[in-house]
Amino acid sequence: MYTLLYSTRQSACHSIRQSVRQNTWLCFNTPQRHINTTYAITRHASTSTSSAHVTAHTDTPTVPQHKETLKNAYNKRLVLDNRSPSLQDFLAKSTKPVDPALVHPDSIPYLTTHGPDWGRGRKFYIEVYGCQMNVNDTEILNAIMTKAGYVRTLTKDNAEVVFLVTCAIRENAEVKIWERLKYLRYYKSKMDTKPPLVGVLGCMAERLKSKMLEQDKLVDIVCGPDGYRSIPHLISLAENEYHHGVANVMLSADETYADVMPIRLDKNSVSGWVSIMRGCNNMCSFCIVPFTRGNERSRSIDTIIDEVRHLSDQGVKEITILGQNVNSYRDTSESTYFMSQESTGSGLSNAGFKTIYKRKEGGRRFTELLDRVSLVNPEIRVRFTSPHPKDFPTELLHLIASRSNLCNSIHMPIQSGNNSVLERMRRGYSREAYLDLVAEIRSVIPDVWISSDFITGFCGETEEEHRDTVSLMEQVKYDTAFMFAYSMREKTHAHRRYVDDVPETVKARRLNEIIDTFHKNAAEKNKNLIGSHQLILISYEKTQTKRGVETKFSGLSDGGHKVFIIQGEETASLSIGEYVAVEIISATSGSLTGRMIGPSSIQAFASSSMSSR
């Protein structure tokens, strides 16, 4: 049920359309002679306590002359978000009666067309920035646009819509997008033909929607991660009604795109992505994700398994399961295939972990999902990212150890090695609890490869606290690490409570120190792999010479390391998508080089490895 809180001068809403899937407002019509309009609509629904706010406004005051009003009609802007109505919204309410003779609905093209008639074969172009979730989101967008009749092009030169799928996790990511938008504005100004619409999608879109629409006509469409279904509608509105921009940045309590089968950007790729949940409840003090992607909600296990089977039928050899907090997956839906509701693996990693939110009981957990995914095709490698250290129950570790197609590669983001910093970050664990988990993982999965994330220079970090991070890296000896200097994000707990008081020069020095520490330890670990046999999925073909050795094919090991294969007679018949056994002959901190032993498979390599022990 929706309640209209107020209307415009002499006209009420003529018609309001509701998105079938998202409960998002896609359109509202008013007489064109009354342009200076603002609407606020509050949603009353059991699934969400937030309000849905819709604003349509112009920079042109209302005038009685119909022609002059129509002349300025294109100055309208439409923004759909979760903001509650302001005092100004209520003050704008008018008590004047509505004259039915003055009510004339706007012409909205998409209301009278369906399916592929929206796109009519027009072309769209996508640039992707940021994390693997954005890659998957782009494949969802690709499916939605294709179904609406649009055609993806690989060059912006013949595109009628250009999308940038963005990231907001760090300031540098946003700076890159602003520079790209300025270039696109220059690019459009030099075109002899009609310039394309420019749309900014994803996390940055949700965070900076107003700024994007207001700054020098840089953007025509702004759409957050939960609004992709509305994009064909937004294109129609931007082209025909709201030439000052249109935005849908509403966060959904239940959108997972479970019924959208993604269309892969590269159909020849041997790797695929499957998103199983969206959003995050952890509310770490440094992280913007809960504010750009909303609360956690999980897809049903049936739709996930169907998508995995679809990728298997397409010949995909490696699947990465995705989620902002992927191992907190919890499915409470009714399943056609999987009736168990035993909540296998529902506990936290150990007694040293906690959450700032109340954990819910019941439902199928990540351990059961991973079990089912691994059984779809034993010759498909399965990885997952990005997990939280709190959600590695013992049952999950034993499952990974027992299935040869579940990669022995675990990402364990710690962020800092100091307990005081971890407390300020609201990570929910101590250094000691984390190290206990590392020890358990290595005891259950002997050949495990462990990676992590690190943030240096967080608010108030002292030199002693920084040294604790360095010492933890020395102790764990990670195989891979993603390391960054802290970047303050608006809306976060840290932005409200702390001061970004570590000088940039100090952040840079500390970052270099942890990078050097990682590379020193990783180089030592990788040298120990010389002489070992690794199973490599061939993913790339490019002839190159590194340190005097010619290679043509490369791929990833079970642990996720890049392995270059020496060119020789035995590699002449190789092709992308094959599994091969490789003997490692040299190593650096970032990659391995090996000589091909022969073709293999996941199950055959696992059997030979067991027999050689």
Side-chain angles (χ1 to χ4, degrees), residues 391-455:
D391 293 309
F392 281 100
T394 300
E395 298 94 330
L396 175 58
L397 303 182
H398 283 280
L399 174 67
I400 294 172
S402 66
R403 295 287 165 79
S404 54
N405 65 331
L406 293 180
C407 292
N408 292 345
S409 173
I410 292 184
H411 190 56
M412 290 261 292
I414 186 164
Q415 309 302 351
S416 173
N418 177 267
N419 284 339
S420 296
V421 176
L422 290 172
E423 185 69 24
R424 294 199 297 275
M425 288 180 168
R426 303 207 298 185
R427 289 294 288 170
Y429 52 83
S430 65
R431 174 191 177 109
E432 293 74 23
Y434 181 91
L435 290 175
D436 286 346
L437 177 58
V438 170
E440 182 186 11
I441 290 174
R442 284 180 168 159
S443 67
V444 175
I445 314 172
D447 298 325
V448 70
W449 303 46
I450 297 179
S451 58
S452 192
D453 296 344
F454 294 90
I455 296 175

Side-chain angles (χ1 to χ4, degrees), residues 75 79 106 172 215 218 277 309 323-324 368 394 416 505 582:
N75 289 339
V79 178
D106 290 346
N172 286 343
Q215 272 204 1
L218 289 176
M277 54 89 70
R309 287 171 177 157
Q324 268 77 31
E368 183 174 355
T394 300
S416 173
T505 54
V582 173

Side-chain angles (χ1 to χ4, degrees), residues 274-440:
V274 177
S275 174
I276 66 168
M277 54 89 70
R278 301 176 74 84
C280 183
N281 292 343
N282 291 320
M283 299 298 290
C284 299
S285 62
F286 57 82
C287 188
I288 192 67
V289 167
F291 302 96
T292 59
R293 287 187 174 265
N295 294 332
E296 290 179 10
R297 60 269 189 203
S298 299
R299 287 177 58 182
S300 69
I301 192 170
D302 288 2
T303 63
I304 295 169
I305 298 303
D306 286 344
E307 186 172 339
V308 171
R309 287 171 177 157
H310 177 72
L311 291 174
S312 177
D313 292 342
Q314 290 185 328
V316 168
K317 295 297 182 67
E318 181 178 81
I319 290 175
T320 301
I321 297 174
L322 300 175
Q324 268 77 31
N325 185 14
V326 67
N327 52 341
S328 70
Y329 174 84
R330 175 177 170 271
D331 171 33
T332 57
S333 68
E334 294 185 5
S335 172
T336 304
Y337 312 113
F338 314 111
M339 305 308 295
S340 171
Q341 287 280 0
E342 296 178 359
S343 295
T344 303
S346 60
L348 294 176
S349 301
N350 62 46
F353 289 82
K354 62 182 180 180
T355 64
I356 68 169
Y357 60 91
K358 184 178 180 180
R359 286 171 55 84
K360 296 181 179 179
E361 302 298 327
R364 301 173 192 86
R365 300 287 180 162
F366 185 68
T367 301
E368 183 174 355
L369 173 68
L370 201 61
D371 174 33
R372 301 294 183 175
V373 169
S374 67
L375 295 174
V376 170
N377 185 340
E379 290 299 328
I380 290 182
R381 265 184 183 164
V382 180
R383 305 182 188 276
F384 58 90
T385 196
S386 178
H388 191 284
K390 75 179 191 311
D391 293 309
F392 281 100
T394 300
E395 298 94 330
L396 175 58
L397 303 182
H398 283 280
L399 174 67
I400 294 172
S402 66
R403 295 287 165 79
S404 54
N405 65 331
L406 293 180
C407 292
N408 292 345
S409 173
I410 292 184
H411 190 56
M412 290 261 292
I414 186 164
Q415 309 302 351
S416 173
N418 177 267
N419 284 339
S420 296
V421 176
L422 290 172
E423 185 69 24
R424 294 199 297 275
M425 288 180 168
R426 303 207 298 185
R427 289 294 288 170
Y429 52 83
S430 65
R431 174 191 177 109
E432 293 74 23
Y434 181 91
L435 290 175
D436 286 346
L437 177 58
V438 170
E440 182 186 11

